[in-house]
Amino acid sequence: MEVLEQARILGKTLRESEEFTKYYEAEAAFKTDETALALIEEYTQNQEKYVEKLQAEDITPDEMVNVKKQMSDDYAKLLENDVIRAYTETKEEAEAVLARVNQIIKFYIVGEEEHNHEGGCSGHCHTCGGCH
């Protein structure tokens, strides 16, 4: 079926694109960097503790603000690591290309294109690296 062949060609083209090539390189570096992996492990453990705190019935509004600030600070600290930052940035760029391709395909299928929100956001959280 010609449609499936075109999908294969598109998939291969995307995989070989500059954005995905950079992403795969950054991902490989990330997966082999012990410091980055240790930082991610620590971050994940902290996030689990924060979620528990946020779900506590007796949490005060001030405590909630403090926990959310700590979560944000931890993420900023995570991005200070060059390997993690490169991985995160290239992943966001690759996902943005994929989201744009999906918008174009949708346009040609149903005749409408999603409007890009400010900052290049697709309006869907699954393509997002975080709200700005």
Side-chain angles (χ1 to χ4, degrees):
M1 178 177 250
E2 186 178 334
V3 171
L4 297 179
E5 182 57 29
Q6 292 298 320
R8 286 183 193 92
I9 292 168
L10 176 58
K12 184 177 184 223
T13 302
L14 284 168
R15 184 182 65 229
E16 295 171 353
S17 70
E18 180 181 352
E19 292 85 359
F20 276 87
T21 299
K22 287 180 180 179
Y23 166 62
Y24 294 135
E25 289 170 358
E27 181 181 44
F30 167 73
K31 287 181 175 181
T32 60
D33 188 281
E34 295 299 323
T35 302
L37 293 173
L39 285 169
I40 291 292
E41 178 65 27
E42 178 184 356
Y43 175 79
T44 302
Q45 290 173 357
N46 287 340
Q47 293 303 302
E48 291 170 1
K49 291 175 189 174
Y50 297 146
V51 168
E52 286 177 21
K53 288 180 183 180
L54 290 172
Q55 292 175 341
E57 291 181 21
D58 60 344
I59 190 168
T60 67
D62 286 341
E63 289 172 328
M64 189 176 290
V65 168
N66 288 336
V67 169
K68 287 182 179 182
K69 182 182 180 325
Q70 188 62 50
M71 291 172 80
S72 178
D73 290 348
D74 284 0
Y75 186 73
K77 180 182 175 189
L78 200 63
L79 293 181
E80 289 175 6
N81 178 281
D82 292 338
V83 173
I84 294 172
R85 185 177 54 254
Y87 170 71
T88 302
E89 289 174 356
T90 58
K91 182 178 179 184
E92 289 172 2
E93 291 167 5
E95 288 174 346
V97 169
L98 193 54
R100 186 65 185 129
V101 166
N102 286 331
Q103 289 173 341
I104 292 168
I105 291 170
K106 181 179 179 181
F107 173 77
Y108 283 97
I109 292 172
V110 297
E112 61 184 56
E113 192 168 0
E114 293 179 15
H115 298 287
N116 248 358
H117 300 277
E118 187 175 329
C121 177
S122 69
H124 298 287
C125 293
H126 69 277
T127 64
C128 186
C131 292
H132 303 283

